[in-house]
Amino acid sequence: MNAISKPTINWSTRRDEKRRRMGSVSSIVNGKIIPTQQINTALESLIKSGDKVVLEGNNQKQADFLSRSLSTINPDVVNHLHMIMPSVGRPEHLDLFENGIARKLDFSFSGQQSLRIGQLMEDGLLEVGAIHTYIELYARLYVDLTPSVALLAGFKADRAGNIYTGPSTEDTPALVEATTFRDGIVIVQVNEIVDDVTDLPRVDIPASWVDYIVQADQPFFIEPLFTRDPRLITDVHVLMGMMAIRGIYERHNVQSLNHGIGFNTAAIELLLPTYGEALGLKGKICRNWTLNPHPTLIPAIESGWVESVHCFGTELGMENYVAARSDVFFTGQDGSMRSNRAFCQLAGQYAVDMFIGSTLQVDGDGNSSTVTRGRLAGFGGAPNMGHDPGGRRHSSPAWLDMRSDDHLLTKGRKLVVQMVETFQNSTSPTLVEELDALAMARDYKMPLAPVMIYASDVTHVLTEEGIAYLYKAESLEQRRAMIAAVAGVTPIGLKRDPEVTANLRAAGLVAYPEDLGIRRSDATRDLLAAKSIAELQDWSDGLYQPPAKFRSW
Amino acid sequence: MNAISKPTINWSTRRDEKRRRMGSVSSIVNGKIIPTQQINTALESLIKSGDKVVLEGNNQKQADFLSRSLSTINPDVVNHLHMIMPSVGRPEHLDLFENGIARKLDFSFSGQQSLRIGQLMEDGLLEVGAIHTYIELYARLYVDLTPSVALLAGFKADRAGNIYTGPSTEDTPALVEATTFRDGIVIVQVNEIVDDVTDLPRVDIPASWVDYIVQADQPFFIEPLFTRDPRLITDVHVLMGMMAIRGIYERHNVQSLNHGIGFNTAAIELLLPTYGEALGLKGKICRNWTLNPHPTLIPAIESGWVESVHCFGTELGMENYVAARSDVFFTGQDGSMRSNRAFCQLAGQYAVDMFIGSTLQVDGDGNSSTVTRGRLAGFGGAPNMGHDPGGRRHSSPAWLDMRSDDHLLTKGRKLVVQMVETFQNSTSPTLVEELDALAMARDYKMPLAPVMIYASDVTHVLTEEGIAYLYKAESLEQRRAMIAAVAGVTPIGLKRDPEVTANLRAAGLVAYPEDLGIRRSDATRDLLAAKSIAELQDWSDGLYQPPAKFRSW
């Protein structure tokens, strides 16, 4: 080594800087507690221009006291922040950019804010780093997007800084670990501060990972995003649900699964205790689940179908029900749910047989996207659930059933089912010639179209017309014909050749309801185990407490 | 719902059973502390026949007091255990089966014990559930392999049960979470018990997740598995390392990466401060790493090449060095490393440009395996690092550089580089007609051959002969010709047609050293930034403290 000169390097710049910043707020903090009224002053001292700041906007819970505060600090003091956000869900998330405090954004999902992101980009006020899936964004926190500051949310803290997140633990562990273990500053807003750790129901995040806590001016914002009112489930959904159970779940022996959040899959959940039971399938399929605690799963749970459910996050109203069903759900010593999006994503990726979900557009090859023009909606978790994980090595019957031959080098596959009605409404076909995502990529000069699930990963397309068993396709041409065979009167469907379709049905590559022994006339809402939110509550013995907006009584 | 009868179900059998078991040891425990001498009695009461038990055998650290104790409990009292083990590394792990205490095994990796697993299977004493990768095994803990009991290891605990794992946190968070949040019993062996949480350097696992702690009879076993002595790096390794830097890292602009643990990649680490510096690449490539703290990375770190390293686990001897380089490594408030295999696997899967590693056998298509006949060695983490993650959505220059065209639906790819010498030794070719893994699958009636990395995921094969840029192959035939072109005098290599090879080189599909501007005569050990363990220690300013077996002075 003698020939090589070693540069002189300070190896603890991050730690030194953290100490310096913490020193600068020593006069306003009380131990780890930032007084509520001092939050802006504290943020202006603890955050520096250009910092990478991770802000907990989850799928549901929002560190909204901290985001509201941050959006009102002085942009002359702090600016050019690089925001890292799993979910961009609130107006103040973008006020940060409009007000000149933040400049760059790496994110996963943006619901209602997606249009405004595009506008801010056009106005030159916001630069997008990349759009990720949730787990991909967490991953980058450990590689090239390590935050200097994390702004997080929990239910309660003790004065030492131990955090009780409540049932909505969600992203917090993944975000806090990347920050605290690389000398970043962790600030957690809580609804309540208690004196001692013994006053906390349980500890979700230990005090030694937390630098500051602050009591929020009001409890953090949380939304019931995964509640589907059974009244909106149609006879068509029921027909599709019956096909799914008969033609996919039963046929491939699906044991473990993840459901999307549409009415289609809600219908399946409500058909298990009726149609599924009549088929004699209870205890034979659908035993282990990875999904949020959907209220529409209650009848299946109560009927004894469900052995376990691990959750990404929680769902408002389901708290008491989950706590009373501890054999099924993952709960803490306090009895309430412990969710964890990172681990649930892992579970849904590597340990389940099937993902089934809906989407807005599918092209003739089978690529799909929820992107529509001008809206940078992001990816969320669907691309992780909806692909065949190349790093999987264990087998299951359903996984092996996807093999094209039994050569020892031929792997099984995860079942990835796209379950869509052929039309979104009378004028918008779901099956389209080209995804809007491509126009979006051209408009925003993105290197790739924002595709949610790629055709090569999709094993089945299920519409109200039938099921295309795409994993059996022997050519791209055959695959297209199979999709067309179930595409109804969409532009894709109108191209089909009736003779080809007949051959596909005869060969078992496509199945229509009658091919599965399902009479369309049987497919009515009468088959649903619950037809309203009130009936879900009945099933739960009153434990499920639906939020006001879902109550009609 | 009126038509459907609801069965009467006890929803808290797991919680009730946990309470019952904990009650049965109340007379021998002192709060959460199991007296060391009472461990067998406690295990016989806390564990029940047929239980799923997760035992922390990590890549490095071992809950060996608990495994030794478990292997000597009374098999008349506890038997038919279903053991879940990331790593089967110690003799007593298999004594459990020989002694009739355990019956079924789900695992990820088994090093020296792999031959004996096969023997116990043949003797009918051990049934393998499945062989997983690490992260896949964690995933199943949240789906269909939730443990009733977890036996784990840490450095220190306080009397309340807060755990300090030390730098080797590794698998502990993933294992504890799945157990504690589904009413399993968590027992942690520690080297030392202190009175109060303030006596712990930091908290890695909060007390509310831990049911019992026990002071081990001796500190847990830990091995330096990732230390490669530079004296064993050959001129051939240097040549291959130069080709990697020039023909892959520089060419594709590799910013973030994961290295395997062979001498090949150790050579690359030691060439960055010399050959890499001469090429003017410092600060331009290889900035963010996901790997264990390899001692051979020290010169690159000291020369200012490395911005960050996130680690699966730690490495014996590197503790002080890591603690003194907190800008680079992830460390806790105590200054010592925080590793985390689950998050590092995520990072290595979703956030890095490249995996490069060695293997024992590669077939003519590019499939590879480390399995040799009769040895059920398992997968570890390589299949997760060594595949193109289908759920990735963000771009990077290297990732985009793998595209075959610039259509908006054409994704980039992770670089997956297999770096092998054409022969393992004078009689064993690395490039083979058929992987031994296939014979293994036939012998053990496995549904699939235990392939480590599939051909479809490999983008480059690098041997001492040259680089095959497989991602450019337009057909399976061309792919085979490219591999043959760098396969030397192996059976695969002997099949090549010189004219085809010349065409492949001319087309840039294969590159030999001279095609990359590398003179074979320049490739000598003189280029290594350190040629011995002692020189690594010098580079570290004495902070690296090599274990005795690596000291020659």
Side-chain angles (χ1 to χ4, degrees):
Chain A
M1 66 161 287
N2 305 333
I4 304 157
S5 66
K6 251 180 73 167
T8 304
I9 298 178
N10 174 359
W11 296 103
S12 59
T13 59
R14 297 177 74 100
R15 184 162 297 172
D16 298 345
E17 175 64 12
K18 176 173 177 172
R19 283 212 189 98
R20 190 195 64 72
R21 296 187 193 187
M22 289 179 70
S24 75
V25 297
S26 59
S27 62
I28 59 169
V29 298
N30 174 10
K32 286 190 176 179
I33 302 175
I34 299 174
T36 307
Q37 303 74 8
Q38 297 281 353
I39 188 65
N40 279 29
T41 312
L43 292 175
E44 287 174 2
S45 299
L46 292 170
I47 302 178
K48 212 170 124 180
S49 292
D51 270 359
K52 293 190 183 73
V53 177
V54 64
L55 172 59
E56 186 164 26
N58 279 338
N59 218 324
Q60 291 130 306
K61 95 174 147 164
Q62 302 286 346
D64 60 333
F65 171 65
L66 290 171
S67 58
R68 278 185 279 115
S69 302
L70 187 66
S71 71
T72 60
I73 63 172
N74 185 346
D76 294 333
V77 177
V78 178
N79 50 60
H80 282 82
L81 295 183
H82 179 168
M83 300 303 299
I84 303 164
M85 301 185 55
S87 179
V88 181
R90 298 179 53 76
E92 71 264 18
H93 292 167
L94 295 177
D95 294 346
L96 286 168
F97 296 87
E98 208 156 276
N99 298 349
I101 296 161
R103 173 79 208 169
K104 191 169 177 181
L105 175 64
D106 274 282
F107 72 107
S108 293
F109 183 75
S110 71
Q112 301 161 337
Q113 301 301 323
S114 52
L115 201 57
R116 194 165 155 220
I117 291 180
Q119 289 166 342
L120 286 166
M121 285 172 71
E122 281 174 28
D123 296 345
L125 294 171
L126 184 155
E127 178 195 345
V128 169
I131 311 177
H132 308 75
T133 69
Y134 290 125
I135 206 163
E136 185 183 12
L137 186 63
Y138 308 154
R140 289 194 68 190
L141 300 181
Y142 298 87
V143 178
D144 58 349
L145 287 184
T146 310
S148 301
V149 178
L151 305 176
L152 311 171
F155 261 66
K156 294 184 184 187
D158 67 8
R159 302 181 72 83
N162 290 294
I163 308 293
Y164 170 60
T165 58
S168 195
T169 310
E170 300 206 39
D171 306 17
T172 315
L175 308 184
V176 73
E177 173 138 0
T179 310
T180 194
F181 291 114
R182 205 155 168 240
D183 294 318
I185 295 172
V186 174
I187 307 171
V188 186
Q189 74 167 66
V190 292
N191 302 341
E192 185 186 349
I193 298 175
V194 299
D195 280 332
D196 191 72
V197 66
T198 56
D199 301 324
L200 293 175
R202 71 172 189 243
V203 174
D204 289 292
I205 306 292
S208 74
W209 306 3
V210 175
D211 297 299
Y212 295 106
I213 50 175
V214 55
Q215 183 162 347
D217 55 355
Q218 59 191 59
F220 63 72
F221 181 77
I222 184 164
E223 257 187 306
L225 291 174
F226 304 103
T227 298
R228 296 290 165 264
D229 188 336
R231 284 185 303 171
L232 300 177
I233 296 176
T234 64
D235 291 349
V236 172
H237 295 139
V238 172
L239 175 67
M240 293 169 69
M242 293 169 76
M243 285 195 276
I245 291 172
R246 195 78 216 249
I248 299 176
Y249 292 43
E250 180 184 20
R251 173 170 298 188
H252 303 301
N253 191 8
V254 173
Q255 297 295 317
S256 51
L257 68 165
N258 167 257
H259 268 194
I261 58 169
F263 287 99
N264 287 321
T265 44
I268 298 174
E269 291 157 18
L270 291 169
L271 287 169
L272 290 175
T274 55
Y275 181 67
E277 195 108 0
L279 293 174
L281 295 174
K282 187 163 92 173
K284 296 188 182 154
I285 59 165
C286 299
R287 300 190 301 175
N288 303 109
W289 300 67
T290 58
L291 77 177
N292 285 302
H294 298 176
T296 42
L297 199 57
I298 291 172
I301 294 171
E302 294 298 308
S303 308
W305 277 74
V306 178
E307 280 179 16
S308 69
V309 180
H310 189 260
C311 299
F312 306 99
T314 186
E315 181 68 0
L316 269 190
M318 287 289 280
E319 296 83 354
N320 296 344
Y321 179 74
V322 165
R325 297 292 178 266
S326 64
D327 276 358
V328 172
F329 292 96
F330 283 69
T331 57
Q333 63 178 20
D334 62 317
S336 78
M337 172 182 286
R338 163 86 172 190
S339 58
N340 188 314
R341 195 179 315 281
F343 281 127
C344 197
Q345 288 281 350
L346 272 190
Q349 177 161 311
Y350 277 119
V352 307
D353 289 333
M354 182 180 76
F355 162 78
I356 181 168
S358 194
T359 188
L360 295 183
Q361 290 189 329
V362 180
D363 72 15
D365 290 352
N367 299 295
S368 71
S369 186
T370 53
V371 162
T372 52
R373 212 145 177 173
R375 292 183 187 272
L376 279 172
F379 293 110
N384 300 116
M385 298 295 104
H387 81 281
D388 180 45
R392 173 172 172 164
R393 289 295 178 273
H394 76 281
S395 299
S396 71
W399 188 81
L400 287 173
D401 209 28
M402 296 295 104
R403 295 167 83 189
S404 53
D405 58 59
D406 59 1
H407 191 284
L408 290 171
L409 288 174
T410 305
K411 279 197 285 190
R413 287 175 67 176
K414 181 177 189 176
L415 279 75
V416 175
V417 184
Q418 296 264 270
M419 186 177 186
V420 293
E421 289 178 80
T422 54
F423 278 80
Q424 295 292 314
N425 56 51
S426 58
T427 57
S428 304
T430 306
L431 289 126
V432 296
E433 304 262 10
E434 184 186 276
L435 300 177
D436 283 1
L438 277 82
M440 176 75 125
R442 289 183 208 110
D443 288 352
Y444 286 96
K445 297 185 176 51
M446 299 162 81
L448 261 75
V451 170
M452 193 67 83
I453 298 182
Y454 283 90
S456 54
D457 284 312
V458 178
T459 57
H460 302 71
V461 169
L462 192 171
T463 72
E464 73 276 15
E465 274 212 289
I467 302 174
Y469 294 93
L470 298 184
Y471 67 96
K472 293 185 176 178
E474 288 177 351
S475 68
L476 182 54
E477 187 193 14
Q478 190 176 55
R479 185 182 179 86
R480 287 181 180 143
M482 289 164 72
I483 293 176
V486 298
V489 295
T490 62
I492 299 293
L494 290 173
K495 284 195 241 168
R496 69 187 167 202
D497 174 338
E499 194 180 337
V500 170
T501 299
N503 290 339
L504 292 172
R505 287 176 65 187
L509 299 183
V510 166
Y512 285 179
E514 46 273 37
D515 303 329
L516 299 168
I518 295 169
R519 283 190 303 188
R520 289 168 197 264
S521 57
D522 289 344
T524 69
R525 282 178 43 83
D526 289 341
L527 276 178
L528 296 175
K531 295 174 196 64
S532 66
I533 292 280
E535 287 186 17
L536 291 175
Q537 193 176 27
D538 288 347
W539 270 101
S540 78
D541 292 336
L543 290 164
Y544 170 46
Q545 293 290 317
K549 69 188 232 191
F550 292 106
R551 290 173 192 261
S552 56
W553 58 93
Chain B
M1 64 163 286
N2 307 334
I4 303 157
S5 66
K6 248 180 75 168
T8 304
I9 299 178
N10 174 357
W11 296 102
S12 59
T13 60
R14 297 178 74 99
R15 183 162 298 171
D16 298 346
E17 176 62 14
K18 176 173 178 173
R19 283 212 188 100
R20 189 196 64 74
R21 295 187 194 189
M22 290 180 69
S24 75
V25 298
S26 59
S27 62
I28 59 169
V29 298
N30 174 9
K32 287 190 175 178
I33 301 176
I34 299 173
T36 307
Q37 302 75 6
Q38 299 281 355
I39 188 66
N40 279 30
T41 312
L43 292 176
E44 286 172 2
S45 300
L46 293 171
I47 303 178
K48 213 171 125 181
S49 293
D51 271 359
K52 292 189 184 75
V53 177
V54 66
L55 173 58
E56 187 164 24
N58 278 339
N59 218 326
Q60 292 130 305
K61 97 176 144 161
Q62 301 286 346
D64 61 332
F65 170 65
L66 290 171
S67 59
R68 279 186 279 113
S69 302
L70 187 66
S71 72
T72 61
I73 63 172
N74 186 345
D76 294 333
V77 177
V78 178
N79 49 61
H80 283 81
L81 294 183
H82 178 169
M83 301 302 300
I84 303 164
M85 300 183 57
S87 179
V88 181
R90 298 180 53 77
E92 71 264 18
H93 291 167
L94 294 177
D95 293 347
L96 285 167
F97 296 88
E98 207 155 277
N99 298 348
I101 296 160
R103 174 79 209 172
K104 191 168 177 182
L105 175 64
D106 275 280
F107 72 108
S108 293
F109 183 74
S110 71
Q112 300 160 340
Q113 302 300 324
S114 54
L115 202 55
R116 196 166 154 219
I117 291 180
Q119 289 166 342
L120 286 166
M121 284 173 70
E122 280 174 26
D123 296 345
L125 294 171
L126 184 156
E127 178 195 341
V128 169
I131 313 179
H132 309 74
T133 68
Y134 291 125
I135 206 163
E136 185 183 11
L137 187 63
Y138 309 153
R140 289 194 68 192
L141 301 180
Y142 297 87
V143 179
D144 58 348
L145 288 182
T146 309
S148 301
V149 179
L151 305 175
L152 310 171
F155 262 65
K156 296 185 183 185
D158 68 8
R159 303 180 70 84
N162 290 294
I163 308 293
Y164 170 59
T165 58
S168 195
T169 309
E170 299 206 41
D171 305 17
T172 315
L175 308 183
V176 73
E177 173 138 0
T179 310
T180 193
F181 291 114
R182 205 155 167 240
D183 293 319
I185 296 173
V186 174
I187 306 172
V188 186
Q189 73 167 68
V190 292
N191 302 341
E192 186 187 349
I193 298 175
V194 298
D195 280 332
D196 190 75
V197 66
T198 56
D199 301 324
L200 293 175
R202 70 172 188 243
V203 174
D204 289 292
I205 306 291
S208 73
W209 306 3
V210 175
D211 298 299
Y212 295 107
I213 51 175
V214 55
Q215 182 161 348
D217 55 356
Q218 59 191 58
F220 64 71
F221 181 77
I222 184 164
E223 257 186 306
L225 291 174
F226 304 103
T227 299
R228 296 289 166 265
D229 188 336
R231 283 186 305 173
L232 301 176
I233 295 175
T234 65
D235 290 351
V236 172
H237 295 139
V238 172
L239 174 65
M240 292 168 70
M242 292 168 76
M243 283 194 277
I245 292 171
R246 195 80 218 248
I248 298 176
Y249 291 44
E250 181 183 19
R251 174 170 299 187
H252 304 300
N253 191 7
V254 172
Q255 297 295 318
S256 51
L257 69 165
N258 167 258
H259 268 194
I261 59 169
F263 287 100
N264 286 321
T265 42
I268 297 174
E269 292 157 17
L270 292 169
L271 287 169
L272 291 176
T274 56
Y275 180 66
E277 195 108 2
L279 292 174
L281 296 174
K282 187 163 94 173
K284 296 189 183 154
I285 60 166
C286 297
R287 300 190 300 176
N288 303 108
W289 301 67
T290 58
L291 77 177
N292 285 301
H294 298 176
T296 41
L297 199 56
I298 292 172
I301 294 172
E302 294 298 308
S303 309
W305 276 74
V306 177
E307 278 179 19
S308 70
V309 180
H310 189 260
C311 299
F312 305 100
T314 185
E315 180 69 359
L316 270 189
M318 288 288 281
E319 295 84 353
N320 295 344
Y321 179 75
V322 166
R325 297 292 177 268
S326 65
D327 275 358
V328 172
F329 292 97
F330 283 70
T331 58
Q333 64 178 20
D334 63 317
S336 77
M337 172 182 284
R338 162 86 173 191
S339 58
N340 188 315
R341 194 179 315 283
F343 281 127
C344 195
Q345 287 281 350
L346 273 191
Q349 177 162 311
Y350 277 118
V352 307
D353 288 332
M354 181 181 75
F355 163 78
I356 180 168
S358 194
T359 189
L360 295 183
Q361 290 188 330
V362 180
D363 72 15
D365 290 351
N367 299 295
S368 72
S369 186
T370 53
V371 163
T372 53
R373 211 142 176 175
R375 292 182 187 273
L376 279 172
F379 293 111
N384 300 116
M385 298 295 103
H387 81 280
D388 180 45
R392 172 171 173 165
R393 291 294 179 274
H394 75 282
S395 301
S396 71
W399 188 82
L400 287 173
D401 209 28
M402 296 294 103
R403 296 167 83 188
S404 54
D405 58 59
D406 59 1
H407 191 283
L408 289 171
L409 287 174
T410 304
K411 278 197 285 190
R413 287 177 67 177
K414 181 177 188 175
L415 279 75
V416 176
V417 184
Q418 297 265 269
M419 186 179 186
V420 293
E421 289 178 79
T422 54
F423 278 81
Q424 295 291 313
N425 57 51
S426 57
T427 57
S428 303
T430 306
L431 288 127
V432 297
E433 304 261 10
E434 184 186 275
L435 300 177
D436 283 0
L438 276 82
M440 175 74 124
R442 289 182 207 110
D443 289 352
Y444 287 95
K445 298 185 174 52
M446 298 161 81
L448 261 75
V451 170
M452 194 66 83
I453 298 181
Y454 283 88
S456 53
D457 283 312
V458 179
T459 56
H460 302 70
V461 169
L462 191 171
T463 72
E464 72 276 17
E465 275 211 287
I467 301 173
Y469 294 93
L470 298 183
Y471 68 95
K472 292 185 176 178
E474 288 178 351
S475 68
L476 183 54
E477 188 192 14
Q478 188 176 57
R479 185 180 178 87
R480 286 180 179 142
M482 289 163 73
I483 293 176
V486 297
V489 296
T490 62
I492 298 294
L494 292 172
K495 284 196 241 167
R496 69 187 167 201
D497 175 338
E499 195 180 334
V500 170
T501 300
N503 290 339
L504 292 173
R505 288 177 64 188
L509 300 183
V510 166
Y512 284 179
E514 46 273 36
D515 304 328
L516 301 167
I518 295 170
R519 283 190 304 186
R520 289 169 196 264
S521 56
D522 289 345
T524 70
R525 282 178 44 80
D526 290 340
L527 275 179
L528 296 175
K531 296 174 195 65
S532 66
I533 292 281
E535 287 186 16
L536 291 175
Q537 194 177 25
D538 288 346
W539 269 103
S540 78
D541 292 335
L543 290 164
Y544 171 45
Q545 293 291 317
K549 70 189 233 191
F550 292 107
R551 290 171 192 263
S552 55
W553 58 94

